Amino acid sequence: MWSGPRNLSTAMMYAFASRQDCVVMDEPFYAAYLKASGEVHPMQEAILASQPTDPEEVVQACLSPLPEGKKLSYQKHMSHHVLPRFSIEFTDKLTNVFLIRHPARVIASYHKKRAQPSLQDVGVEQQVAIFNRQHQRSGRVPVVIDSDDLLTDPALGLEVLCDAIGIPFDSAMLSWQPGGNPADGVWAEHWYNAVWQSNGLTKTQRKPIPQLPASLQSVLAQSLPYYELLAKHKLTVG
């Protein structure tokens, strides 16, 4: 699952983690990205100490055999964590899905955690690059789902998504226990407070697109064309 930050990506990981047949991975390239990019994020040292920083080692983990009793591996990837110099050929062996959200919503949410997000931080440009690569190599349009559509009817949205990727829907995906998941990355205490307090996906009335301050208009203008390109291919929910 290729996502940007604040895209419902953690809730989606929790949904798949609720399946008895699925093992999940939380942003396995995060430490490798921080080391290679020189970016400094909240909880920097803890993240670097918690994961492999060699991208090839991460790739091997992504392709490792499934644990006994599991049929699915759900990998939550932030698209901007996979830098251009990292090999992504491993993705050809996986089913690639793209989780999108209107960038005004992403930027407004991200701004609360980290003052001035950039186009790189939003991640949608990198999503498009990976989407285009998969489209060109396979000749098929990859699966795209909009988190806002999913929230309008989570049961239907997850059923549509599961059908699109060829797995059975499991109603267990709709709920989880509050307080976090054992698969959470070490950074969860900074970013996941809302999901930790939740107990599942419930129908949510779509809210108006937030109005961003002038300081964030530039990154919104940069992000919108990439979002709109992906949105043309999103699954229909309802």
Side-chain angles (χ1 to χ4, degrees):
M1 183 66 76
W2 295 100
S3 176
R6 323 311 289 172
N7 270 25
L8 200 75
S9 57
T10 304
M12 187 70 85
M13 182 182 77
Y14 279 27
F16 275 84
S18 296
R19 299 177 61 113
Q20 292 299 310
D21 61 354
C22 188
V23 61
V24 301
M25 301 176 71
D26 190 11
E27 301 182 29
F29 281 96
Y30 200 170
Y33 161 74
L34 290 177
K35 181 178 180 181
S37 68
E39 287 284 323
V40 177
H41 281 204
M43 304 187 68
Q44 179 91 356
E45 294 306 317
I47 296 168
L48 290 170
S50 71
Q51 290 182 314
T53 56
D54 178 353
E56 287 303 314
E57 189 175 344
V58 179
V59 166
Q60 292 308 309
C62 290
L63 297 178
S64 61
L66 292 173
E68 186 175 354
K70 303 295 183 180
K71 297 179 180 180
L72 302 171
S73 169
Y74 181 92
Q75 300 174 12
K76 173 193 168 194
H77 289 295
M78 293 291 105
S79 57
H80 60 289
H81 287 174
V82 181
L83 296 171
R85 60 182 177 273
F86 291 2
S87 171
I88 62 167
E89 291 183 358
F90 79 97
T91 60
D92 297 338
K93 301 178 181 179
L94 307 174
T95 299
N96 295 275
V97 182
F98 295 83
L99 179 65
I100 62 173
R101 190 185 188 197
H102 193 285
R105 301 189 196 278
V106 174
I107 293 164
S109 179
Y110 195 96
H111 181 61
K112 296 175 183 177
K113 295 285 187 178
R114 199 161 178 246
Q116 189 66 38
S118 66
L119 177 62
Q120 170 78 14
D121 292 326
V122 175
V124 70
E125 180 181 16
Q126 296 90 333
Q127 274 185 302
V128 168
I130 299 168
F131 175 93
N132 286 340
R133 181 184 184 277
Q134 293 301 322
H135 189 188
Q136 291 163 6
R137 291 183 66 85
S138 69
R140 298 186 300 275
V141 177
V143 174
V144 179
I145 188 162
D146 192 309
S147 62
D148 288 333
D149 295 341
L150 181 70
L151 285 176
T152 61
D153 190 338
L156 178 59
L158 288 173
E159 187 172 357
V160 168
L161 173 61
C162 289
D163 182 66
I165 60 178
I167 64 173
F169 169 65
D170 184 342
S171 61
M173 299 172 73
L174 293 168
S175 61
W176 51 78
Q177 292 297 315
N181 187 282
D184 287 346
V186 69
W187 53 87
E189 64 183 76
H190 180 81
W191 294 101
Y192 295 178
N193 55 305
V195 185
W196 278 3
Q197 294 169 26
S198 71
N199 61 4
L201 292 168
T202 56
K203 288 187 178 184
T204 304
Q205 187 174 1
R206 194 186 300 265
K207 297 178 181 178
I209 300 296
Q211 295 299 308
L212 301 180
S215 61
L216 299 176
Q217 289 297 324
S218 175
V219 67
L220 174 60
Q222 291 174 316
S223 303
L224 269 172
Y226 296 105
Y227 166 78
E228 289 168 350
L229 188 154
L230 293 172
K232 290 190 300 185
H233 303 287
K234 67 181 183 177
L235 295 172
T236 299
V237 178

